[in-house]
Amino acid sequence: MKWKRSARLVDMTYQLIQRPHSLIPLGEFAQTYQAAKSSISEDLAIIQETFRTEGMGELQTVAGATGGVRFIPRMKREQAEKWIQSMCQRLADPERLLPGGYLYLSDFLGDPTALSQLGWIWATVFADRQADVVVTVETKGIPLAHAVASNLGIPVVVVRKGHRVTEGSVVTINTISGSRKDIRTLSLSRRSLAEGARVIVIDDFMKAGGTFRGLIDLMKEFRAEVVGTGVMVESEVEGRLVSGIASLMKITTIDEQAGDVEVATGTILDDEGGWME
Amino acid sequence: MKWKRSARLVDMTYQLIQRPHSLIPLGEFAQTYQAAKSSISEDLAIIQETFRTEGMGELQTVAGATGGVRFIPRMKREQAEKWIQSMCQRLADPERLLPGGYLYLSDFLGDPTALSQLGWIWATVFADRQADVVVTVETKGIPLAHAVASNLGIPVVVVRKGHRVTEGSVVTINTISGSRKDIRTLSLSRRSLAEGARVIVIDDFMKAGGTFRGLIDLMKEFRAEVVGTGVMVESEVEGRLVSGIASLMKITTIDEQAGDVEVATGTILDDEGGWME
């Protein structure tokens, strides 16, 4: 059956968005739609133009016999800034203060709109790192890791806290929580991560960075290469154990007694790479 | 600026897919594209026709001043069956056998393609339940819950195991693990779930159903109404503590010594509702 251009445009847009960063051969489109490759190329030019103008990302075309087209979600820097600022406002609410200088974040981590924006922003900055997998630690990092990974079309691997893991043989590492000075165990199933993988490490919250340091050390045990690191919220503290983390937001003031919370945009906006023109 | 139909089709497809189950007013489209509502309606008819023919779901149009259009992702029953069968094959691999009669599932729970298919299938069956939120329990249920919730456009709430929860005041319940006969504590932050919410409960694995029973009991403490329940894999066992769970797969044989695993399609395919024509 021969397809009309209008139906092709709808279907191709759907297929490209559903499989970000995956190469789709032009021949596959040509066969599905019973159309000439030149028509497919014209369709792709229309989609490319709309994606660019509206700031959704771009199509990358790879020439040759093994070539094809892939959708790379990218955000404009101004749009990311606007959106992170509105998130900072939402976060700087004294009602969020929990005992011990923590902030209630669970609503962000459950909100599908917030997650899809977060994932899109990180996937922009990490778009060109050729990562194989996103690594996170249970529990609150998991939705964030999936939001990034689904935008990059790669899988997620979850590091567990403690030993009691029913996942076969595991590699375990002890790490010192910088802020609370207690020892914490991190475990990762041996079969869950291939040796030499290129990984992006994601977590929800960072103070001194002890857990993050432990995750990076654990990656060394797998001979994995850490090609990107991101945290949703960091809290300013002296004696940081890690550096160069792409944070979305930064808590600059937190005063439980006065009920005062101030939140600024994080370091991710300083990142040069990935943003759409 | 006036848009061409081809660009409108690409952009509308993107907007509809990014916001499943959310009502977008026709006036919003008409204003964005500087087009007459009659043109927008023609565009939507083209998108509807393509989505229906290709089995992606359907557009629901709501008439009147507060009306608009929303995208409901739905799968055809045959496609779900085919896909679940291939998942069963992947699962029935003796290499997955772990001590204690468990199966290694973490690769499924990290795989973006598997998750998006899983989420789409459950979102099909739960499409008409008017759910407000998806509830799950840490750790492995979390990616599944997000996969369903993102297809339904609703948030996720995560029940924690144990007491040590830094999320403010919590409601705690004790439940008996049916298979291991030990007591387990489930906690949920009071502010994370509104009273009277309509909830879908999702988990990764179920034997006797003790944890699932606990989740349902915990929902009663919040006066929440459970309008759907789903589990990725169930293992057949006598003395089930819950019933009516929409399972995707069912382990029918598991013999650690003989290295034998058999997996069949679960109960979700018996479900009457939601499938595309």
Side-chain angles (χ1 to χ4, degrees), chain A residues 261-277:
Chain A
V261 190
E262 281 167 39
V263 185
T265 54
T267 61
I268 198 166
L269 292 169
D270 308 336
D271 215 300
E272 299 285 316
W275 305 111
M276 266 187 97
E277 296 291 302

Side-chain angles (χ1 to χ4, degrees), chain A residues 3 9 11 14 17 54 56 95 98 104 106 109-110 112 115 138-139 142-143 146 154-156 166-168 191-192, chain B residues 3 11 14 17 54 56 95 98 104 106 109-110 112 115 138-139 142-143 146 154-156 166-168 191-192:
Chain A
W3 288 51
L9 287 171
D11 196 68
Y14 180 93
I17 291 171
E54 297 308 300
M56 300 153 185
E95 293 282 310
L98 297 173
Y104 181 77
S106 301
L109 301 170
L115 286 171
E138 63 179 340
T139 299
I142 301 174
H146 278 276
I154 56 177
V156 171
T166 54
E167 291 176 34
R191 65 168 107 179
S192 65
Chain B
W3 288 51
D11 196 69
Y14 180 92
I17 292 172
E54 297 307 301
M56 300 153 185
E95 293 281 311
L98 296 173
Y104 181 79
S106 301
L109 300 170
L115 286 171
E138 63 178 341
T139 297
I142 300 174
H146 278 276
I154 57 178
V156 171
T166 54
E167 292 176 33
R191 65 168 105 179
S192 65

Side-chain angles (χ1 to χ4, degrees), chain A residues 200-276:
Chain A
I200 291 168
V201 183
I202 293 288
D203 204 4
D204 64 318
F205 188 76
M206 179 173 75
K207 271 184 167 171
T211 302
F212 226 107
R213 182 74 260 162
L215 288 170
I216 290 169
D217 290 343
L218 185 58
M219 290 303 99
K220 285 183 197 147
E221 297 295 320
F222 285 82
R223 299 178 198 281
E225 193 179 343
V226 177
V227 297
T229 49
V231 72
M232 186 172 83
V233 185
E234 61 171 317
S235 191
E236 284 191 332
V237 71
E238 279 180 35
R240 227 354 122 61
L241 301 168
V242 281
S243 62
I245 315 282
S247 67
L248 292 167
M249 293 175 280
K250 192 186 280 184
I251 299 176
T252 52
T253 307
I254 189 158
D255 186 335
E256 226 182 307
Q257 308 227 298
D260 188 20
V261 190
E262 281 167 39
V263 185
T265 54
T267 61
I268 198 166
L269 292 169
D270 308 336
D271 215 300
E272 299 285 316
W275 305 111
M276 266 187 97

Side-chain angles (χ1 to χ4, degrees), chain A residues 143-154:
Chain A
L144 296 168
H146 278 276
V148 186
S150 69
N151 272 294
L152 292 172
I154 56 177

Side-chain angles (χ1 to χ4, degrees), chain A residues 144-221:
Chain A
L144 296 168
H146 278 276
V148 186
S150 69
N151 272 294
L152 292 172
I154 56 177
V156 171
V157 162
V158 179
V159 173
R160 309 293 298 261
K161 288 173 186 160
H163 300 276
R164 292 178 314 175
V165 180
T166 54
E167 291 176 34
S169 108
V170 298
V171 177
T172 289
I173 202 168
N174 288 319
T175 179
I176 291 167
S177 158
S179 22
R180 278 175 300 173
K181 305 284 178 210
D182 52 358
I183 287 176
R184 166 172 286 180
T185 303
L186 300 176
S187 304
L188 182 57
S189 160
R190 195 172 278 286
R191 65 168 107 179
S192 65
L193 187 61
E195 276 217 353
R198 294 170 66 86
V199 306
I200 291 168
V201 183
I202 293 288
D203 204 4
D204 64 318
F205 188 76
M206 179 173 75
K207 271 184 167 171
T211 302
F212 226 107
R213 182 74 260 162
L215 288 170
I216 290 169
D217 290 343
L218 185 58
M219 290 303 99
K220 285 183 197 147
E221 297 295 320

Side-chain angles (χ1 to χ4, degrees), chain A residues 75-112:
Chain A
M75 200 183 273
K76 291 182 180 172
R77 200 188 165 286
E78 312 85 75
Q79 197 189 333
E81 189 170 2
K82 224 161 117 180
W83 189 80
I84 293 173
Q85 277 168 353
S86 84
M87 257 190 39
C88 288
Q89 275 194 328
R90 208 176 135 193
L91 210 62
D93 175 355
E95 293 282 310
R96 292 188 175 276
L97 277 167
L98 297 173
Y102 287 91
L103 279 188
Y104 181 77
L105 297 176
S106 301
D107 54 337
F108 274 91
L109 301 170
D111 175 350

